[in-house]
C-alpha cells in the first residue's frame, strides 16, 4: 500500500502549518520517501522530539503503510 | 499484552551501555537502515549489543510501543533512546555522536 507524496505533505502541513516541506520519492515506488521539514516549532527541541512530532502528524502510517521515510528536521 | 516484552526490553536497555534494536544481527543486517547504524557503530569502535527484532513479532512490535517510535533500528545509550537511522546518521556526520558516546562514558575509537 503506497502513499502519495502530496498526501504525506498534507498530513505534515496539518500539524505544522508554518513548515517548509520537501518530499522526494526516492525509488519511484510510492514507498520510499525522503522528507525535509523545517519549522519554527522545532526550535530548542531534540532531534528525537522533532521526528516524533512528524511521526505523530502521520498518525500511525509511519512504519506501517509508509515503509520508509528518511527524515531530516530542523528549525529555520 | 506487552508487559512481559516491555520488561525484557527494559532489562536489555538498562543492563547494556549501548544496545541496538535492529533487523538482523550486527554481522548480518537484514535491512539497509539497520546496516547503516551498524557501520557507524563499527566505525567508531563502540562495543554494543545487537538485538534482532526479527526473532519475534512480540519484540518487533514491543520495541515500537516501548520507545513510542514507529521504525527500526533504534539505538539506546546508557538507558536513553538516541534515535533511529536518520538521527544517528545525522549525528554521526556532524560529529555529535562521538561526543554523545564519550559524554555517556562509552569507550570509542577516536578516528585518526
Amino acid at each position: 500500500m503506497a502513499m502519495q507524496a502530496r498526501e504525506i505533505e498534507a498530513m505534515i502541513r496539518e500539524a505544522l502549518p508554518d513548515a517548509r516541506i520537501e518530499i522526494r520519492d526516492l525509488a519511484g515506488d510510492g514507498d520510499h520517501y525522503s522528507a525535509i521539514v523545517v519549522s519554527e516549532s522545532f526550535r530548542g527541541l531534540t532531534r528525537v522530539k522533532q521526528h516524533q512530532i512528524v511521526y505523530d502528524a502521520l498518525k500511525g502510517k509511519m512504519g506501517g503503510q509508509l515503509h520508509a521515510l528518511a527524515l531530516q528536521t530542523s528549525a529555520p | 499484552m506487552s508487559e512481559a516484552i516491555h520488561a525484557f526490553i527494559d532489562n536489555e536497555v538498562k543492563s547494556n551501555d549501548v544496545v541496538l534494536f535492529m533487523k538482523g544481527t550486527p554481522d548480518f543486517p537484514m535491512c539497509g537502515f539497520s546496516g547503516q547504524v551498524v557501520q557507524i557503530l563499527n566505525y567508531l569502535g563502540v562495543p554494543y549489543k545487537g538485538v534482532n527484532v526479527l526473532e519475534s513479532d512480540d519484540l518487533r512490535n514491543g520495541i515500537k510501543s516501548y520507545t513510542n517510535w514507529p521504525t527500526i533500528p533504534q539505538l539506546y545509550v546508557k538507558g536513553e533512546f538516541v534515535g533511529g537511522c536518520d538521527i544517528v546518521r545525522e549525528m554521526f556526520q556532524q560529529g555529535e555522536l562521538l561526543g554523545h558516546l564519550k559524554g555517556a562514558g562509552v569507550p570509542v575509537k577516536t578516528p585518526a
Side-chain angles (χ1 to χ4, degrees), chain A residues 47-48 51-52 55 70-71, chain B residues 68-70 82 86 90-91 96:
Chain A
R47 288 206 179 85
V48 168
H51 284 215
Q52 204 80 264
Y55 290 151
L71 195 54
Chain B
N68 187 26
W69 192 259
V82 176
D86 297 326
E90 209 181 325
M91 285 176 78
E96 287 169 30

Side-chain angles (χ1 to χ4, degrees), chain B residues 12 15 35 43 45 53-54 56 58 60 68 75 80 103 108 111:
Chain B
E12 291 289 350
S15 56
Y43 180 83
V53 304
L54 297 180
S56 102
D58 266 4
R60 187 174 179 168
N68 187 26
L75 181 67
E80 198 190 323
V108 285

Side-chain angles (χ1 to χ4, degrees), chain A residues 39-47 49-50 74-75:
Chain A
S39 166
E40 190 56 48
S41 47
F42 290 151
R43 197 173 296 282
L45 299 182
T46 63
R47 288 206 179 85
K49 290 262 162 54
Q50 295 177 5
S74 61

Side-chain angles (χ1 to χ4, degrees), chain B residues 8-9 16 19 21 31 34 37 47 55 71 79 84 95 97 101-102 108:
Chain B
F8 168 81
I9 293 167
N16 297 284
V19 198
F21 294 89
C31 162
S34 292
V37 178
E55 278 178 0
T71 56
L97 187 61
L101 290 163
K102 276 185 183 166
V108 285

Side-chain angles (χ1 to χ4, degrees), chain B residues 27-89:
Chain B
D27 287 333
F28 196 49
M30 299 289 284
C31 162
F33 299 103
S34 292
Q36 281 184 38
V37 178
V38 163
Q39 278 189 354
I40 289 170
L41 294 176
N42 288 347
Y43 180 83
L44 294 175
V46 181
Y48 65 98
K49 178 171 185 184
V51 178
N52 182 2
V53 304
L54 297 180
E55 278 178 0
S56 102
D57 269 350
D58 266 4
L59 181 57
R60 187 174 179 168
N61 294 318
I63 188 64
K64 293 180 186 175
S65 55
Y66 177 84
T67 313
N68 187 26
W69 192 259
T71 56
I72 292 154
Q74 298 186 10
L75 181 67
Y76 274 85
V77 174
K78 290 272 163 133
E80 198 190 323
F81 178 55
V82 176
C85 176
D86 297 326
I87 288 178
V88 170
R89 191 182 54 235

Side-chain angles (χ1 to χ4, degrees), chain A:
Chain A
M1 255 197 302
M3 264 181 95
Q4 296 290 325
R6 61 173 172 279
E7 204 183 327
I8 300 169
E9 185 173 338
M11 292 184 85
I12 298 174
R13 171 91 47 216
E14 203 181 319
L16 299 163
D18 76 306
R20 183 167 68 76
I21 304 168
E22 261 175 60
I23 297 192
R24 284 198 310 156
D25 187 340
L26 297 176
D29 60 359
D31 205 20
H32 295 77
Y33 290 99
S34 76
I36 300 174
V37 183
V38 181
S39 166
E40 190 56 48
S41 47
F42 290 151
R43 197 173 296 282
L45 299 182
T46 63
R47 288 206 179 85
V48 168
K49 290 262 162 54
Q50 295 177 5
H51 284 215
Q52 204 80 264
I53 290 171
V54 177
Y55 290 151
D56 285 347
L58 294 169
K59 300 189 173 91
K61 290 200 176 357
M62 189 64 208
Q65 195 177 343
L66 190 55
H67 169 70
L69 179 71
L71 195 54
Q72 205 184 317
T73 56
S74 61

